Amino acid sequence: RQAAFRTDLSVLLDQVGTGKESLSFMKRRIRRLAQQWATAANRLDAKLQQRWRDQKKILVHVGFLTEESGDVFSPKVLKGGPLGEMVQWADILTALHVLGHNLKISMSVKELQGFLGVPPGRGSCPLTGPLPFDLIYTDYHGLQQMKQHMGLSLKKHKCHIRVIDTFGTEPAYNHEEYATLHGYRTNWGYWNLNARQYMTMFPHTPDNSFMGFVSEELNETEKRNIQQNKVNNMAVVYGKEASMWKQQGKEGFLQILHKYMEVHGTVYYETQRPPEVPAFVKNHGLLPQHELQQLLRKAKLFIGFGFPYEGPAPLEAIANGCIFLQPKFHPPHSSLNHEFFRGKPTSREVSSQHPYAEQYIGRPHVMTVDYNNSLEFDSAIREIMRTKVEPYLPYEYTCEGMLERVHAYIQHQDFCVPEPPFLPANLSRLSPTGGNRVPGPLFVPLPNSTALGWASNVTAPPAWPPLSSLRLIVSQEGQSCVDACQFAGFICEPAHFRFINNKEALHGLDVQCEVVDSEINHILPAFSVVRRECGLQREPLLFSCAGHSPKYRRLCPCRDFRHGQVALCRDCL
Ligand code: U2F
């Protein structure tokens, strides 16, 4: 069946259910953004020009909100606890509904069993028939519950699963045996999924798919009004829980800030003002989302103290015309050196409180400075007070942007058909634009797919992203493909690894290989210049954009991307 866009959200609101603060929060959000979603649906509908879209049967099982996982989030909704996840799930549900899919929502193990058609009760009772869904969106908690209640059949059906995973999972952590043998084993990873089945909150690592969420959009009149009504010396502090104000050296920079600006906060408190919040701060208490927006519309500065990491609030602030000031982390925080990230299935280095804001938005909307340097901090505040900025929201965080991306994933990503290890027959004809001995990444334009000429005995299913987007780049020693592609103005595309994991690609690059081994190692394909050793990847699950090693230069499959929609290449829609 063809999916038809929906602009009425009442059925969805009924499906979400009642009885918990988390559900009320999500419903308030869905209602508040309803008009915006409807406009976006109409725009995308027009843009896609009647293109056929399959209507999918989709189950959304929100594991972290089930009683069985302990549901630690719901009781914290009104107390300053994390709301980012709730924001994202509300938006995922809305996007799937608006795109016109056949949606079922489960927030308990009982409902999960009911929808999957497995007998209720404890213990693992395998699902015998076919899976009654094309797609299942869940999280790590939900995955664990499915393992317990679907038993062996989970393995058979896992290609249909998408895991909403805030901070991301790198391939080395996802491969059970490899993770166990090489020290990448964590409490979360090792599900042996295709790493693109993990969907993140920000485009953290291109090894995963970027799901995202949305932020409020303003029309031109609202933008103009906001700019006229900005209070140049008004700052709002990022941190709704008192503990977020307990930063080392905070007293110092808060005093500097207070020298120039009126400082506002939205810190949750029960009866008394939290002792962590200095007396000069005008604390509004935790605000409902729409009231926070109003406060942000007046404020000039939204300032982070280093925690929470990578949340939605800075995007909302920037969308409401604030400048976001945040601390640079030197050295970067990661699972190797910071408690919060410890045990998370990624080695990603977090260079500031909000790397997306730093790298994808940047000045004048975002300033990332060293808070230990009071001169730098002081001059940043003064610069912010005199800088005029317009409200800004990257396209990928608008409703239309999210609908476009989720539409593309649903129609094109298929992890159930095995991907043949393609050997582009005449890759060897490639002529690199420079020798591999020159420092800096090599840039090798590949001919388009027809010119590549597939080996005649395989019929190529259409690749997605299409092969036309592929650019082969060689990293520096020690550099990951994430960085190598980014440095060259592209993005690493793990789906393209299979096209460059072959001798022809090495040959085309003029790499001197004495031996070409095929191994199981997440930095492959790669080569060592000194040792004249080249290695190809034997385990497709370990194709990794994130991997790097000091002695190896990596073969990197990069691709182009749309401005403001990094998840999609130019020809991806
Ligand atoms: C992140 O979670 P948080 O919930 O702490 O992220 P924030 O950016 O602080 O805010 C989430 C929402 O809270 C709302 C605001 C944001 O949409 O509009 N809010 C509000 O309604 N009232 C207020 O007074 C203040 C904010 C991240 F998203 C999680 O994935 C992480 O687990 C967590 C820890 O790093 O950080």
Side-chain angles (χ1 to χ4, degrees), residues 266-306:
T266 65
V267 191
Y268 166 76
Y269 64 96
E270 233 141 74
T271 45
Q272 274 177 356
R273 177 186 195 85
E276 293 86 347
V277 180
F280 58 77
V281 175
K282 193 168 166 6
N283 187 21
H284 302 259
L286 188 73
L287 295 176
Q289 280 202 309
H290 71 274
E291 286 181 37
L292 175 69
Q293 308 282 335
Q294 299 307 321
L295 193 67
L296 293 172
R297 284 179 185 203
K298 287 206 326 222
K300 185 66 187 288
L301 165 64
F302 189 61
I303 177 170
F305 289 164

Short mmCIF file of all heavy atoms in Angstrom, two decimals, residues 266-306:
data_model
loop_
_atom_site.label_atom_id
_atom_site.label_comp_id
_atom_site.label_asym_id
_atom_site.label_seq_id
_atom_site.Cartn_x
_atom_site.Cartn_y
_atom_site.Cartn_z
N THR A 266 16.61 28.15 35.00
CA THR A 266 15.35 27.39 35.07
C THR A 266 15.64 26.10 35.84
O THR A 266 15.44 25.01 35.36
CB THR A 266 14.77 27.06 33.68
OG1 THR A 266 15.67 26.18 33.00
CG2 THR A 266 14.57 28.30 32.84
N VAL A 267 16.10 26.28 37.08
CA VAL A 267 16.52 25.14 37.88
C VAL A 267 15.34 24.65 38.72
O VAL A 267 14.68 25.43 39.41
CB VAL A 267 17.66 25.52 38.85
CG1 VAL A 267 18.25 24.28 39.48
CG2 VAL A 267 18.71 26.32 38.12
N TYR A 268 15.13 23.37 38.68
CA TYR A 268 14.05 22.77 39.46
C TYR A 268 14.34 22.93 40.96
O TYR A 268 15.47 22.75 41.40
CB TYR A 268 13.93 21.29 39.11
CG TYR A 268 13.09 20.54 40.11
CD1 TYR A 268 11.71 20.67 40.09
CD2 TYR A 268 13.68 19.76 41.10
CE1 TYR A 268 10.94 20.03 41.03
CE2 TYR A 268 12.91 19.11 42.04
CZ TYR A 268 11.54 19.25 42.01
OH TYR A 268 10.78 18.63 42.94
N TYR A 269 13.32 23.26 41.74
CA TYR A 269 13.47 23.24 43.21
C TYR A 269 12.13 22.91 43.84
O TYR A 269 11.08 23.13 43.24
CB TYR A 269 14.00 24.57 43.74
CG TYR A 269 13.08 25.74 43.52
CD1 TYR A 269 12.21 26.15 44.52
CD2 TYR A 269 13.09 26.45 42.32
CE1 TYR A 269 11.36 27.23 44.33
CE2 TYR A 269 12.24 27.52 42.12
CZ TYR A 269 11.37 27.91 43.12
OH TYR A 269 10.53 28.97 42.91
N GLU A 270 12.18 22.34 45.03
CA GLU A 270 10.94 21.95 45.68
C GLU A 270 10.38 23.11 46.50
O GLU A 270 9.35 23.66 46.16
CB GLU A 270 11.16 20.72 46.54
CG GLU A 270 10.16 19.62 46.21
CD GLU A 270 10.79 18.25 46.25
OE1 GLU A 270 11.04 17.77 47.36
OE2 GLU A 270 11.05 17.68 45.17
N THR A 271 11.09 23.47 47.56
CA THR A 271 10.57 24.56 48.38
C THR A 271 11.57 25.71 48.46
O THR A 271 11.21 26.86 48.36
CB THR A 271 10.26 24.09 49.81
OG1 THR A 271 11.36 23.30 50.24
CG2 THR A 271 8.98 23.27 49.84
N GLN A 272 12.86 25.32 48.57
CA GLN A 272 13.87 26.36 48.74
C GLN A 272 14.74 26.49 47.51
O GLN A 272 14.90 25.53 46.77
CB GLN A 272 14.77 25.99 49.92
CG GLN A 272 14.19 26.47 51.21
CD GLN A 272 15.04 26.03 52.37
OE1 GLN A 272 16.03 25.31 52.19
NE2 GLN A 272 14.69 26.47 53.55
N ARG A 273 15.29 27.64 47.37
CA ARG A 273 16.23 27.87 46.29
C ARG A 273 17.42 26.92 46.46
O ARG A 273 17.98 26.81 47.54
CB ARG A 273 16.69 29.32 46.47
CG ARG A 273 17.70 29.77 45.52
CD ARG A 273 18.17 31.16 45.91
NE ARG A 273 18.87 31.66 44.75
CZ ARG A 273 18.27 32.24 43.74
NH1 ARG A 273 16.97 32.46 43.75
NH2 ARG A 273 18.96 32.63 42.70
N PRO A 274 17.83 26.21 45.39
CA PRO A 274 18.95 25.28 45.54
C PRO A 274 20.24 26.03 45.91
O PRO A 274 20.52 27.07 45.31
CB PRO A 274 19.08 24.64 44.16
CG PRO A 274 17.96 25.16 43.34
CD PRO A 274 17.29 26.27 44.05
N PRO A 275 21.00 25.53 46.88
CA PRO A 275 22.20 26.23 47.33
C PRO A 275 23.25 26.39 46.23
O PRO A 275 24.07 27.31 46.28
CB PRO A 275 22.74 25.36 48.47
CG PRO A 275 22.02 24.06 48.36
CD PRO A 275 20.74 24.30 47.64
N GLU A 276 23.20 25.53 45.22
CA GLU A 276 24.19 25.63 44.14
C GLU A 276 23.98 26.88 43.29
O GLU A 276 24.88 27.30 42.55
CB GLU A 276 24.09 24.41 43.20
CG GLU A 276 24.48 23.08 43.80
CD GLU A 276 23.33 22.39 44.53
OE1 GLU A 276 22.30 23.06 44.79
OE2 GLU A 276 23.48 21.21 44.86
N VAL A 277 22.79 27.45 43.35
CA VAL A 277 22.47 28.59 42.47
C VAL A 277 22.69 29.90 43.24
O VAL A 277 22.00 30.18 44.21
CB VAL A 277 21.00 28.48 42.01
CG1 VAL A 277 20.63 29.63 41.10
CG2 VAL A 277 20.76 27.15 41.30
N PRO A 278 23.66 30.71 42.82
CA PRO A 278 23.97 31.95 43.55
C PRO A 278 22.76 32.89 43.66
O PRO A 278 21.86 32.85 42.81
CB PRO A 278 25.07 32.61 42.71
CG PRO A 278 25.60 31.55 41.82
CD PRO A 278 24.54 30.52 41.65
N ALA A 279 22.79 33.73 44.68
CA ALA A 279 21.65 34.59 44.98
C ALA A 279 21.34 35.58 43.86
O ALA A 279 20.18 35.97 43.67
CB ALA A 279 21.92 35.34 46.28
N PHE A 280 22.35 35.99 43.11
CA PHE A 280 22.07 36.99 42.06
C PHE A 280 21.35 36.39 40.84
O PHE A 280 20.94 37.12 39.94
CB PHE A 280 23.36 37.71 41.62
CG PHE A 280 24.45 36.79 41.11
CD1 PHE A 280 24.38 36.27 39.83
CD2 PHE A 280 25.55 36.47 41.89
CE1 PHE A 280 25.38 35.45 39.33
CE2 PHE A 280 26.56 35.66 41.41
CZ PHE A 280 26.47 35.13 40.14
N VAL A 281 21.20 35.08 40.82
CA VAL A 281 20.53 34.45 39.67
C VAL A 281 19.02 34.52 39.84
O VAL A 281 18.49 34.20 40.90
CB VAL A 281 20.96 32.97 39.54
CG1 VAL A 281 20.18 32.27 38.42
CG2 VAL A 281 22.45 32.87 39.29
N LYS A 282 18.35 34.96 38.79
CA LYS A 282 16.89 35.00 38.84
C LYS A 282 16.39 33.62 38.38
O LYS A 282 16.41 33.31 37.19
CB LYS A 282 16.41 36.10 37.88
CG LYS A 282 14.97 36.44 38.07
CD LYS A 282 14.64 37.73 37.29
CE LYS A 282 13.15 37.99 37.15
NZ LYS A 282 12.20 37.14 37.83
N ASN A 283 16.01 32.80 39.35
CA ASN A 283 15.60 31.44 39.00
C ASN A 283 14.10 31.33 38.81
O ASN A 283 13.33 31.69 39.69
CB ASN A 283 16.06 30.46 40.09
CG ASN A 283 15.81 29.01 39.68
OD1 ASN A 283 15.67 28.73 38.48
ND2 ASN A 283 15.75 28.11 40.65
N HIS A 284 13.70 30.81 37.64
CA HIS A 284 12.29 30.69 37.33
C HIS A 284 11.72 29.33 37.71
O HIS A 284 10.54 29.08 37.51
CB HIS A 284 12.07 30.89 35.82
CG HIS A 284 12.57 32.22 35.32
ND1 HIS A 284 11.73 33.28 35.08
CD2 HIS A 284 13.82 32.66 35.05
CE1 HIS A 284 12.45 34.33 34.66
NE2 HIS A 284 13.72 33.96 34.64
N GLY A 285 12.58 28.44 38.20
CA GLY A 285 12.14 27.07 38.41
C GLY A 285 12.03 26.38 37.06
O GLY A 285 12.09 27.04 36.02
N LEU A 286 11.88 25.06 37.06
CA LEU A 286 11.73 24.33 35.80
C LEU A 286 10.48 24.85 35.08
O LEU A 286 9.42 24.95 35.68
CB LEU A 286 11.59 22.84 36.09
CG LEU A 286 11.61 21.95 34.85
CD1 LEU A 286 13.02 21.85 34.28
CD2 LEU A 286 11.09 20.56 35.19
N LEU A 287 10.63 25.19 33.81
CA LEU A 287 9.50 25.76 33.07
C LEU A 287 8.93 24.75 32.07
O LEU A 287 9.66 23.90 31.57
CB LEU A 287 9.96 26.98 32.27
CG LEU A 287 10.43 28.20 33.07
CD1 LEU A 287 10.95 29.28 32.11
CD2 LEU A 287 9.31 28.76 33.93
N PRO A 288 7.64 24.86 31.77
CA PRO A 288 7.12 24.08 30.64
C PRO A 288 7.83 24.53 29.36
O PRO A 288 8.26 25.70 29.28
CB PRO A 288 5.64 24.43 30.59
CG PRO A 288 5.34 25.19 31.83
CD PRO A 288 6.62 25.71 32.38
N GLN A 289 7.93 23.63 28.39
CA GLN A 289 8.71 23.95 27.17
C GLN A 289 8.34 25.28 26.53
O GLN A 289 9.22 26.05 26.16
CB GLN A 289 8.57 22.82 26.15
CG GLN A 289 9.46 21.63 26.45
CD GLN A 289 9.72 20.78 25.23
OE1 GLN A 289 8.79 20.40 24.54
NE2 GLN A 289 10.97 20.49 24.96
N HIS A 290 7.03 25.57 26.43
CA HIS A 290 6.68 26.81 25.71
C HIS A 290 7.09 28.05 26.50
O HIS A 290 7.42 29.08 25.93
CB HIS A 290 5.18 26.83 25.35
CG HIS A 290 4.28 27.03 26.51
ND1 HIS A 290 3.84 25.98 27.29
CD2 HIS A 290 3.75 28.14 27.06
CE1 HIS A 290 3.07 26.44 28.25
NE2 HIS A 290 3.00 27.76 28.13
N GLU A 291 7.12 27.96 27.84
CA GLU A 291 7.55 29.13 28.62
C GLU A 291 9.06 29.32 28.53
O GLU A 291 9.56 30.44 28.54
CB GLU A 291 7.11 29.00 30.08
CG GLU A 291 5.62 29.24 30.24
CD GLU A 291 5.18 29.14 31.70
OE1 GLU A 291 5.93 29.56 32.59
OE2 GLU A 291 4.08 28.60 31.92
N LEU A 292 9.76 28.19 28.46
CA LEU A 292 11.21 28.28 28.25
C LEU A 292 11.50 29.00 26.92
O LEU A 292 12.37 29.87 26.84
CB LEU A 292 11.85 26.88 28.25
CG LEU A 292 13.33 26.84 27.92
CD1 LEU A 292 14.16 27.48 29.04
CD2 LEU A 292 13.82 25.41 27.69
N GLN A 293 10.73 28.65 25.90
CA GLN A 293 10.90 29.31 24.59
C GLN A 293 10.74 30.83 24.72
O GLN A 293 11.49 31.59 24.14
CB GLN A 293 9.86 28.84 23.56
CG GLN A 293 9.73 27.36 23.39
CD GLN A 293 10.83 26.77 22.55
OE1 GLN A 293 11.43 27.44 21.74
NE2 GLN A 293 11.12 25.50 22.78
N GLN A 294 9.73 31.24 25.49
CA GLN A 294 9.49 32.68 25.66
C GLN A 294 10.68 33.37 26.32
O GLN A 294 11.09 34.45 25.93
CB GLN A 294 8.22 32.93 26.50
CG GLN A 294 6.94 32.38 25.88
CD GLN A 294 6.72 32.83 24.45
OE1 GLN A 294 6.99 33.98 24.11
NE2 GLN A 294 6.26 31.93 23.59
N LEU A 295 11.23 32.69 27.32
CA LEU A 295 12.39 33.24 28.01
C LEU A 295 13.58 33.36 27.05
O LEU A 295 14.29 34.37 27.02
CB LEU A 295 12.74 32.32 29.18
CG LEU A 295 13.70 32.84 30.24
CD1 LEU A 295 13.07 33.99 31.01
CD2 LEU A 295 14.08 31.72 31.21
N LEU A 296 13.75 32.32 26.22
CA LEU A 296 14.87 32.30 25.27
C LEU A 296 14.71 33.39 24.21
O LEU A 296 15.69 33.90 23.67
CB LEU A 296 14.99 30.94 24.60
CG LEU A 296 15.39 29.77 25.52
CD1 LEU A 296 15.28 28.44 24.79
CD2 LEU A 296 16.83 29.96 26.04
N ARG A 297 13.46 33.73 23.92
CA ARG A 297 13.23 34.78 22.90
C ARG A 297 13.74 36.13 23.37
O ARG A 297 14.14 36.95 22.57
CB ARG A 297 11.74 34.87 22.58
CG ARG A 297 11.33 33.74 21.70
CD ARG A 297 9.89 33.74 21.36
NE ARG A 297 9.67 32.49 20.62
CZ ARG A 297 8.68 32.27 19.78
NH1 ARG A 297 7.78 33.20 19.57
NH2 ARG A 297 8.60 31.14 19.14
N LYS A 298 13.70 36.34 24.68
CA LYS A 298 14.19 37.63 25.20
C LYS A 298 15.70 37.62 25.41
O LYS A 298 16.39 38.62 25.24
CB LYS A 298 13.50 37.93 26.55
CG LYS A 298 12.05 38.32 26.34
CD LYS A 298 11.42 39.20 27.41
CE LYS A 298 11.87 39.02 28.81
NZ LYS A 298 10.88 39.04 29.87
N ALA A 299 16.22 36.46 25.81
CA ALA A 299 17.63 36.39 26.21
C ALA A 299 18.58 36.52 25.02
O ALA A 299 18.26 36.16 23.89
CB ALA A 299 17.89 35.08 26.92
N LYS A 300 19.77 37.05 25.31
CA LYS A 300 20.79 37.20 24.27
C LYS A 300 21.74 36.01 24.32
O LYS A 300 22.28 35.58 23.30
CB LYS A 300 21.58 38.49 24.55
CG LYS A 300 22.59 38.85 23.49
CD LYS A 300 21.87 39.19 22.18
CE LYS A 300 22.81 39.40 21.03
NZ LYS A 300 23.55 40.64 21.11
N LEU A 301 21.94 35.51 25.54
CA LEU A 301 22.95 34.47 25.72
C LEU A 301 22.36 33.25 26.41
O LEU A 301 21.60 33.38 27.39
CB LEU A 301 24.09 35.03 26.59
CG LEU A 301 25.09 34.05 27.20
CD1 LEU A 301 25.87 33.32 26.13
CD2 LEU A 301 26.05 34.78 28.14
N PHE A 302 22.69 32.06 25.89
CA PHE A 302 22.37 30.81 26.57
C PHE A 302 23.72 30.19 26.91
O PHE A 302 24.54 29.97 26.03
CB PHE A 302 21.57 29.92 25.60
CG PHE A 302 21.00 28.69 26.24
CD1 PHE A 302 20.09 28.78 27.29
CD2 PHE A 302 21.33 27.42 25.78
CE1 PHE A 302 19.54 27.63 27.87
CE2 PHE A 302 20.79 26.27 26.35
CZ PHE A 302 19.89 26.38 27.41
N ILE A 303 23.97 29.98 28.20
CA ILE A 303 25.32 29.57 28.57
C ILE A 303 25.36 28.21 29.23
O ILE A 303 24.60 27.92 30.16
CB ILE A 303 25.99 30.64 29.48
CG1 ILE A 303 27.37 30.17 29.93
CG2 ILE A 303 25.11 31.05 30.65
CD1 ILE A 303 28.20 31.21 30.61
N GLY A 304 26.23 27.33 28.72
CA GLY A 304 26.40 25.98 29.26
C GLY A 304 27.57 25.92 30.22
O GLY A 304 28.56 26.63 30.06
N PHE A 305 27.43 25.03 31.23
CA PHE A 305 28.52 24.82 32.20
C PHE A 305 29.24 23.50 31.98
O PHE A 305 29.99 23.05 32.82
CB PHE A 305 27.94 24.80 33.62
CG PHE A 305 27.46 26.13 34.13
CD1 PHE A 305 26.63 26.19 35.24
CD2 PHE A 305 27.84 27.31 33.52
CE1 PHE A 305 26.19 27.41 35.73
CE2 PHE A 305 27.40 28.53 34.00
CZ PHE A 305 26.57 28.58 35.10
N GLY A 306 28.95 22.81 30.90
CA GLY A 306 29.66 21.55 30.63
C GLY A 306 28.78 20.31 30.73
O GLY A 306 29.13 19.25 30.23
#
